[in-house]
């Protein structure tokens, strides 16, 4: 008599998806009726028609760009494995990408400040167009070229669109409410677009991975062309005339010479590092006990949690909270550090891990617009791109170090990398606390150099 062994594949409950959807919907729907400050963003009729038009164009462009960003993130290791590459080769290609970001990232930030943010956003679309054309025409691994282009595009994505927004906002002398609204909408739409990119990429993979990559390349070509056309349709950007010598002097005085910017930049780098560690290790951590898990259904849980977290931001900015922005970030970073500490302890219950990871993304979804708001308070708009790209240097260096030590030398374990992430998050919490003590409370208009 044979023994039949039933296999069980763990999946998140459908009730969780309903809970996230309903909570997000109610948070957005009830805000204009229950918020103390009811003149916020979309519900503020004092916003000029020209900026409202730019805001709509900008959010449409940012959504398309986020879909392109999420389109290629679906494949990753699967694409390299389809070419028969070993684990060491995959780690090597990851190192190539982070090395490119480490070396060329600060340069792109300076170029953005000197040449204009609209032009750097065009570069982002052009890079995705080149990658799509290359993958469509060559149908070869081309990991060197594609990884470098996508790494450069990721750097531009991290600061180019935000800087373009705040410069245009300052140019039209709009109230901060409209800028705050766009910050959380960027995080919300980014998460939704990454989820849409995953759905699109999975839908395009019908027979083989190679065929799916070719179709995704076609989709990337189409989206990049549409985004380029939309960017060109926006208002013309005047040519920057600030000499590099003056820019260097201003950058040294207002960024490198200001301890508050160092605290803020360190906090940004710590969040970037912990997020990179999460995306590298979340799948191996969940399946570490050998059970089968439907990872494709867990990934939307993270992005849904991030969307829900971003909707809390307008409630905080409308006067619902008695805490300052810095106080909120101190507690958020502390919670994120505790989450990573629990995971680093090697807790392997899948349900608990998924809840912890969702909590991480929910807090990160709130932290991102808060950090953008703090950058508006402390960083001159003319130096914003250079400051953001420079703050990514220590994060990229730390990620590169962990990849080499874990992927090549096997000198550290996954739990050790999680512990590094927890330490960085607690460090960020301390930096924001110091920023609160030494920073200025009211916003002062010292952005004019």
């Amino acid at each position: 008599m044979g023994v039949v062994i039933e296999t069980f594949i763990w999946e998140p409950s459908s009730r969780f998806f309903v809970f996230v959807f309903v909570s997000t919907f109610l948070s957005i729907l009830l805000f204009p009726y229950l918020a103390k400050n009811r003149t916020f963003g979309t519900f503020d009729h004092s916003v000029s028609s020209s900026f409202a038009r730019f805001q709509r164009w900008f959010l449409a462009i940012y959504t398309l760009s986020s879909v392109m960003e999420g389109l290629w993130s679906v494949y990753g290791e699967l694409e390299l494995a389809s070419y028969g590459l070993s684990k060491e080769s995959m780690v090597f290609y990851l190192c190539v990408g982070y090395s490119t970001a480490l070396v060329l990232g600060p340069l792109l930030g300076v170029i953005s400040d000197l040449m204009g943010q609209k032009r750097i956003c065009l570069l982002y679309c052009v890079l995705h167009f080149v990658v799509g054309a290359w993958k469509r025409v060559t149908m070869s691994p081309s990991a060197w070229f594609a990884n470098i282009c996508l790494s450069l595009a990721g750097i531009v994505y991290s600061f180019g669109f935000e800087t373009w927004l705040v410069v245009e906002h300052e140019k039209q002398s709009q109230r901060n409410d409209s800028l705050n609204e766009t910050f959380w909408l960027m995080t919300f739409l980014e998460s939704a677009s990454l989820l849409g990119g995953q759905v699109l990429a999975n839908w395009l993979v019908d027979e083989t991975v190679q065929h799916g990559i070719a179709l995704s390349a076609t989709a990337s070509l189409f989206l990049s062309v549409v985004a380029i056309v939309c960017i060109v349709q926006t208002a013309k950007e005047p040519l920057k005339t600030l000499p590099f010598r003056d820019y260097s002097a201003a950058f040294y005085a207002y960024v490198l010479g200001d301890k508050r910017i160092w605290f803020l930049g360190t906090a940004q780098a710590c969040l970037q590092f912990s997020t990179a560690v999460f995306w590298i290790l979340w799948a191996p951590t969940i399946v570490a006990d050998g059970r089968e898990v439907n990872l494709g259904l867990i990934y939307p849980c993270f992005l849904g949690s991030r969307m829900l977290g971003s909707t809390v931001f307008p409630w905080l900015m409308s006067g619902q909270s008695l805490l300052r922005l810095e106080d909120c970030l101190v507690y958020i970073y502390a919670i994120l550090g505790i989450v990573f500490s629990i995971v680093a302890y090697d807790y392997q219950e899948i349900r608990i891990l998924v809840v912890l990871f969702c909590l991480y993304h929910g807090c990160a979804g709130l932290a991102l617009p808060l950090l953008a708001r703090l950058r508006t308070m402390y960083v001159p708009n003319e130096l914003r791109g250079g400051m953001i790209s420079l703050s990514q240097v220590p994060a990229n260096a730390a990620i590169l170090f962990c990849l080499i030590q874990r992927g090549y030398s096997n000198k550290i374990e996954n739990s050790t990398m999680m512990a590094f992430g927890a330490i960085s998050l607690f460090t960020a919490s301390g930096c924001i606390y110091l920023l609160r003590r030494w920073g200025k409370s009211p916003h002062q208009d010292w952005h004019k150099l």
Side-chain angles (χ1 to χ4, degrees), residues 36-76:
K36 293 181 180 179
N37 179 10
R38 302 189 180 187
T39 60
F40 187 86
T42 300
F43 316 105
D44 182 9
H45 299 287
S46 65
V47 177
S48 67
S49 59
S50 60
F51 183 77
R53 183 168 56 253
F54 168 79
Q55 187 183 47
R56 289 191 294 268
W57 275 101
F58 174 82
L59 290 175
I61 294 168
Y62 188 75
T63 301
L64 290 174
S65 302
S66 300
V67 173
M68 288 188 286
E69 194 74 10
L71 197 60
W72 294 118
S73 64
V74 173
Y75 294 99

Side-chain angles (χ1 to χ4, degrees), residues 157-407:
Y157 180 82
S158 65
F159 67 82
F161 292 96
E162 178 187 315
T163 309
W164 184 22
L165 169 68
V166 296
V167 168
E168 189 68 25
H169 176 270
E170 184 184 41
K171 185 192 306 180
Q172 300 193 26
S173 302
Q174 296 298 304
R175 294 175 56 181
N176 286 333
D177 290 342
S178 58
L179 188 61
N180 295 335
E181 178 207 31
T182 314
F183 283 153
W184 80 264
L185 281 176
M186 288 174 65
T187 304
F188 182 87
L189 293 175
E190 177 188 358
S191 303
S193 301
L194 290 175
L195 187 58
Q198 183 205 30
V199 172
L200 178 60
N202 288 330
W203 178 68
L204 294 175
V205 178
D206 51 358
E207 299 176 357
T208 63
V209 175
Q210 300 294 337
H211 186 62
I213 292 173
L215 293 177
S216 296
T218 303
S220 179
L221 285 171
F222 174 75
L223 292 174
S224 59
V225 170
V226 174
I228 289 173
V229 172
C230 291
I231 293 176
V232 172
Q233 290 297 319
T234 59
K236 292 185 178 181
E237 184 180 46
L239 184 65
K240 297 294 183 72
T241 57
L242 183 66
F244 180 74
R245 179 178 299 179
D246 295 342
Y247 176 85
S248 301
F251 195 86
Y252 179 81
Y254 289 101
V255 176
L256 299 180
D258 192 340
K259 59 181 178 294
R260 299 168 302 184
I261 305 300
W262 283 90
F263 292 143
L264 180 57
T266 301
Q268 294 175 183
C270 291
L271 182 60
Q272 180 187 354
F273 171 71
S274 64
T275 303
V277 169
F278 169 82
W279 286 121
I280 293 173
L281 296 180
W282 76 272
T285 302
I286 288 180
V287 301
D289 60 354
R291 283 187 289 183
E292 295 187 36
V293 180
N294 193 335
L295 298 177
L297 289 179
I298 296 178
Y299 180 79
C301 296
F302 302 153
L303 296 180
S305 301
R306 193 177 174 194
M307 294 168 64
L308 177 59
S310 66
T311 62
V312 180
F313 177 78
W315 291 89
L316 293 178
M317 297 301 298
S318 66
Q320 297 296 116
S321 174
L322 299 178
L323 298 175
R324 289 176 51 181
L325 298 184
E326 294 90 337
D327 294 327
C328 293
L329 277 174
V330 168
Y331 296 129
I332 290 173
Y333 273 119
I335 293 173
L336 295 177
I338 293 173
V339 168
F340 262 57
S341 300
I342 297 174
V343 177
Y345 188 70
D346 206 21
Y347 196 95
Q348 294 186 356
E349 174 61 36
I350 295 179
R351 185 176 287 102
I352 301 300
L353 285 174
V354 172
V355 171
L356 290 173
F357 289 156
C358 289
L359 177 61
Y360 174 86
H361 280 277
C363 293
L366 176 57
L368 289 173
L370 286 173
L371 287 172
R373 177 61 185 147
L374 286 181
R375 285 192 290 269
T376 303
M377 294 173 59
Y378 292 103
V379 184
N381 292 339
E382 294 84 353
L383 309 175
R384 195 181 186 111
M387 179 269 173
I388 296 176
S389 60
L390 183 63
S391 69
Q392 295 175 351
V393 170
N396 290 324
I399 298 167
L400 188 60
F401 171 79
C402 290
L403 285 174
I404 294 175
Q405 293 297 314
R406 175 58 178 151

